Amino acid sequence: MTGSLLVTGGAGFIGSRIVAAALESGWRVRILDSFRDDVHASPPSIPDGVDVIEGDVADAVVVDRALDGIDVVSHQAAKVGLGVNLDDAPDYVASNDLGTAVVLAAMGRAGNRRLVLASSMVVYGEGLYLGSSGEVRPAPRSAADLAAGVFEPRDPGTGELLRPGFVTEDAALDPRSVYAATKLAQEHLAGVWAHAAGGRVAALRYHNVYGPGMPRDTPYAGVAAIFRSAIERGDVPRVFEDGGQRRDFVHVDDVARANLAALDWTAEQPEATVRAFNVGSGTVTTILEVAQALADTIGGSAPIVTGDYRAGDVRHITASSDRAARELGWTASVPFADGMRDFATAPLRA
C-alpha cells in the first residue's frame, strides 16, 4: 500500500533511510526538516523526486503547509541522545514534545489520521530482570556496588544479583533522562490525539540504531559511532564498567523497513488505535563486543575495559520484537557481524 508520505526529520540519519525505502516502494514523499546545524554540518543529499520543505516542526504554519495532500506521517524529527546536562532540557522539550504537539494539532486540522511515531527503548529505563522468584524491578545500583565493580542490579527485597531478560511492550515505563522523558511524552501526546481525533498510531521503540550516515563526534552520538571515531583517531576505545552491558543493535535499514510496515499497519486499524512496537534485531550484544568488532575490522587498538561507571546508567536493556513480527510482519534481516563490518567503513555524518 502506498500514497503520499510526510517524513519529518527526513534529512536525518534514520529519516533519510525511510525516505529512500519509501521511494523504492512507490510512495510519493515529502520531507519536513529544519536542517539544524548541530545535526547537519553540511547540506544533506536529497533524492530526486522528493518534495522538501525547510522549517521547524514547532512552526504551525510550516507544518500545515507540509501536510497538504498527505495521507500518512512518519514523525522522526527529534533531538536525540541522552544530552549533556539539564541545560539541554528546554531544547529537548521544545524539539520533541512541543514539536509533536504542533504536528498532531496540524494533523487534526488536515483530517490526517495515520501516524508512525519514532519512539525509543529508553522509555523503559532498566530492562527486565529475573530473580529467584521471577520478574523483579531492580533497585538503583548503589555507589558501593559500583565502586566495588559489582555492576549487576540487585533484588530490592533479597539483595541477590539479578539476571537480565527481554523487555516486552507491556513492561513498566521508567524514563531516566530528559531525552527519555520527552520520548515517553511524545507517546502520551500521540495517544491523546488518537483517542480525540480517531487516529491510528504505531509507536516504534527503536533500540540501538546504527549504520551508514550515523552522526559522529558529538555528545549525542551513539556508542558505536563513538568507538569508531576513537579507533580512527588512533585512540584506544574505552569501555565502561566490565563491558558486559547488554544491548540490541539494529541496522538503520531494518528500522526503515519497520517504518514502512507500520505505515501499512495504520491503514488497517480501527479508529483510536495506539500500539507500541519494539524495533530491535533480537540479538543480544555487549558493549565490549561492539568495540571489539569495530577494532577488528578497522585494525585499531583493542578496546580496554576501564571499570569506570556513570551513576544512573542503564545496565541492560534488550527487547523482544515478537509483537512487530506478529502484527507488522517485520523482522530484522541484517546480521550484527555483517552490519558492523559495513558500518566500520561506511560514511558517517560530521
Side-chain angles (χ1 to χ4, degrees), residues 335-347:
F336 173 78
D338 295 347
M340 277 293 162
R341 189 182 309 112
D342 293 342
F343 172 71
T345 56

Side-chain angles (χ1 to χ4, degrees), residues 20-235:
L23 288 172
E24 187 175 339
S25 296
W27 287 87
R28 299 184 303 280
V29 181
R30 178 178 296 154
I31 289 173
L32 170 60
D33 201 296
S34 64
F35 299 97
R36 285 174 56 145
D37 291 341
D38 59 346
V39 178
H40 306 284
S42 58
S45 176
I46 304 297
D48 293 338
V50 175
D51 185 17
V52 179
I53 294 179
E54 182 173 354
D56 196 313
V57 289
D59 185 331
V61 174
V62 171
V63 178
D64 281 340
R65 180 160 58 94
L67 282 168
D68 184 38
I70 292 295
D71 297 318
V72 58
V73 176
S74 174
H75 183 37
Q76 306 294 315
K79 184 178 176 70
V80 301
L82 299 182
V84 178
N85 54 49
L86 282 175
D87 288 340
D88 284 345
D91 195 17
Y92 273 106
V93 172
S95 298
N96 299 355
D97 298 337
L98 175 60
T100 297
V102 171
V103 169
L104 294 171
M107 290 177 70
R109 291 190 293 272
N112 191 300
R113 299 293 182 263
R114 296 167 57 196
L115 174 68
V116 176
L117 173 68
S119 186
S120 171
M121 55 89 174
V122 296
V123 300
Y124 296 115
E126 283 283 357
L128 181 143
Y129 291 87
L130 303 171
S132 56
S133 59
E135 292 186 16
V136 178
R137 293 291 294 172
R141 296 186 292 173
S142 70
D145 273 350
L146 292 171
V150 178
F151 299 117
E152 300 301 329
R154 294 185 183 272
D155 186 316
T158 67
E160 69 174 319
L161 296 179
L162 299 172
R163 306 184 309 278
F166 291 90
V167 176
T168 68
E169 292 86 351
D170 296 324
L173 304 180
D174 182 22
R176 297 189 178 190
S177 68
V178 171
Y179 171 63
T182 64
K183 298 309 288 185
L184 182 54
Q186 285 183 295
E187 288 195 23
H188 288 322
L189 287 166
V192 170
W193 167 81
H195 289 100
R200 294 92 165 171
V201 179
L204 303 186
R205 293 173 178 167
Y206 302 155
H207 282 252
N208 293 78
V209 185
Y210 73 99
M214 190 175 184
R216 65 183 301 167
D217 298 331
T218 81
Y220 313 101
V223 67
I226 291 171
F227 285 153
R228 180 182 142 169
S229 295
I231 295 167
E232 290 176 338
R233 291 194 305 268
D235 295 338

Side-chain angles (χ1 to χ4, degrees), residues 179-296:
Y179 171 63
T182 64
K183 298 309 288 185
L184 182 54
Q186 285 183 295
E187 288 195 23
H188 288 322
L189 287 166
V192 170
W193 167 81
H195 289 100
R200 294 92 165 171
V201 179
L204 303 186
R205 293 173 178 167
Y206 302 155
H207 282 252
N208 293 78
V209 185
Y210 73 99
M214 190 175 184
R216 65 183 301 167
D217 298 331
T218 81
Y220 313 101
V223 67
I226 291 171
F227 285 153
R228 180 182 142 169
S229 295
I231 295 167
E232 290 176 338
R233 291 194 305 268
D235 295 338
V236 176
R238 299 173 59 82
V239 178
F240 278 20
E241 300 187 11
D242 60 358
Q245 305 95 306
R246 291 160 50 110
R247 298 292 188 270
D248 184 325
F249 287 84
V250 59
H251 196 275
V252 66
D253 288 342
D254 281 330
V255 172
R257 289 194 306 103
N259 272 267
L260 296 194
L263 293 172
D264 290 343
W265 178 89
T266 61
E268 301 165 355
Q269 304 310 305
E271 291 186 357
T273 297
V274 182
R275 193 76 161 150
F277 297 93
N278 288 330
V279 175
S281 70
T283 301
V284 174
T285 306
T286 68
I287 297 298
L288 179 57
E289 287 171 338
V290 173
Q292 189 64 62
L294 290 170
D296 289 346

